Amino acid sequence: MITSQRALLEKQVMQYYLPQNMYRFCQIGTSQPYMECAVVANDGAAYLLYFDLSMFPENKPKVYVKQMLYTKDGKPMNSASHYNHTLTPWNGWTQLCHYNDSCWTPDVTLWKVYMKCRLWIEMYRAHLRTGKTMSYYLNTQTNP
């Protein structure tokens, strides 16, 4: 679980890169800590991300878009999919695949996770324009 010291460090990093109205840490010090962070894609589309911090930093945080996303064909992104770089949804929200478990280390910051999710959102927007799968734009992370 995220410690108060680690949460302070993560807040400082986020504050350096993003305006304070773009993110918020919630329920730190409880069994269900999380961070919400807004993403605005280059085309102006806005999304709200939910970072589950209950196992962070020992394990990668689960990151969800706080809505169910749909493919260009109108199918819900509601299952684990290599082609869409998604994992099992929760609460009706699409879960983003942002890190291979074997590549995760506890020193990775939430900022880096946010940036990978930001790129995922951009590729999702490209998928909606072109119909090409997410895997066309995103490579699968391999062990270092």
Side-chain angles (χ1 to χ4, degrees), residues 80-124:
S81 168
H82 171 74
Y83 295 108
N84 289 326
H85 289 259
T86 56
L87 299 170
T88 306
W90 173 73
N91 205 32
W93 303 339
T94 300
Q95 184 180 174
L96 308 185
C97 182
H98 58 81
Y99 254 95
N100 184 322
D101 288 333
S102 65
C103 296
W104 181 259
T105 62
D107 61 336
V108 175
T109 64
L110 292 173
W111 170 253
K112 187 169 183 181
V113 175
Y114 169 83
M115 287 303 300
K116 290 184 108 183
C117 293
R118 170 83 168 77
L119 289 171
W120 190 101
I121 293 291
E122 290 298 341
M123 299 310 100
Y124 172 66

Side-chain angles (χ1 to χ4, degrees), residues 11 20 22 25 29 31 51 54 66 68-69 76 103 105 122 126:
K11 287 177 188 177
Q20 286 185 321
M22 293 285 289
F25 287 83
S31 62
F51 291 65
S54 60
K66 287 187 71 173
M68 181 56 61
L69 299 179
C103 296
T105 62
E122 290 298 341

Side-chain angles (χ1 to χ4, degrees), residues 8-54:
L8 179 61
L9 171 69
E10 295 291 345
K11 287 177 188 177
Q12 289 171 339
V13 173
M14 295 298 288
Q15 187 175 20
Y16 182 80
Y17 291 107
L18 288 176
Q20 286 185 321
N21 65 346
M22 293 285 289
Y23 66 93
R24 67 181 181 152
F25 287 83
C26 302
Q27 299 183 23
I28 300 300
T30 72
S31 62
Q32 297 177 322
Y34 65 94
M35 178 180 77
E36 290 182 330
C37 204
V39 173
V40 179
N42 290 340
D43 66 3
Y47 298 90
L48 186 59
L49 303 180
Y50 177 98
F51 291 65
D52 177 353
L53 304 179
S54 60

